[in-house]
Amino acid sequence: MGKTHPIELTNMCMLTRADGKVLVQNRRDPDWGGLTFPGGHVEPGESLVDSVIREMQEETGLTIRQPKLVGTKSWMQKDGSRYLVLLYTATEYEGELHSSEEGDIAWMTVDEMRAGQMVEGMELYFDVYLGNEHSEIWYEPNGDDWNLMLK
């Protein structure tokens, strides 16, 4: 196998307010619906940081400043390409909050989010976002299912 392979780049950002609440999106996607953090795709020719700033603005109305990369989530797709989610945090923002076609937006505590209907695998994100031990969520194929691992 060659040293390069196709990759689909995406991002997600946990935006935290001064009172400790996080910005949560209740996604409408039937394949991956529920509570999660906003994010989206990196456009061709776009910097990774610029992509998370743009996606947050599009999906929430807020312009974040100084996002910090804290980890990744990835898996290999059936076509041999890798799907990579860059996980960011931010605490500085400006703008007027609004929801988007992706889903409704709300401020919640992490406990409120955990008590709700989260997207599949969301609990692992907290280990990366809130902990110091892990920086990667890896989905390893297991027949028709996946083993989710923290690294």
Side-chain angles (χ1 to χ4, degrees):
M1 176 147 77
K3 292 185 180 190
T4 63
H5 62 272
I7 188 166
E8 189 168 349
L9 294 171
T10 63
N11 57 58
M12 179 181 285
C13 185
M14 183 178 81
L15 179 60
T16 306
R17 247 180 8 190
D19 65 2
K21 289 189 176 185
V22 294
L23 190 60
V24 176
Q25 184 177 62
N26 191 2
R27 287 181 50 89
R28 295 183 179 105
D29 186 334
D31 294 327
W32 203 63
L35 301 176
T36 188
F37 300 127
H41 282 81
V42 178
E43 298 295 333
E46 184 177 41
S47 87
L48 303 176
V49 168
D50 288 347
S51 75
V52 72
I53 293 169
R54 176 187 50 76
E55 283 291 345
M56 290 294 287
Q57 202 288 319
E58 288 175 0
E59 294 188 9
T60 72
L62 302 180
T63 302
I64 61 171
R65 289 186 298 277
Q66 300 180 337
K68 179 181 177 189
L69 182 64
V70 295
T72 64
K73 171 184 156 184
S74 68
W75 65 90
M76 298 305 294
Q77 300 189 98
K78 290 181 182 179
D79 65 3
S81 65
R82 179 183 297 260
Y83 195 100
L84 177 63
V85 184
L86 302 160
L87 306 176
Y88 288 89
T89 59
T91 57
E92 297 180 40
Y93 62 92
E94 62 185 18
E96 189 173 321
L97 188 65
H98 68 73
S99 297
S100 73
E101 63 188 32
E102 298 286 333
D104 294 328
I105 298 292
W107 292 102
M108 294 182 176
T109 66
V110 171
D111 287 341
E112 288 170 333
M113 190 177 176
R114 282 183 160 137
Q117 181 65 41
M118 295 190 301
V119 297
E120 181 181 349
M122 190 65 203
E123 191 62 38
L124 290 178
Y125 286 82
F126 293 121
D127 288 317
V128 174
Y129 278 118
L130 303 175
N132 294 316
E133 187 175 337
H134 302 287
S135 64
E136 179 182 16
I137 302 168
W138 171 247
Y139 283 59
E140 186 170 281
N142 182 9
D144 290 337
D145 204 6
W146 298 92
N147 292 329
L148 281 70
M149 294 181 251
L150 288 166
K151 302 224 177 224

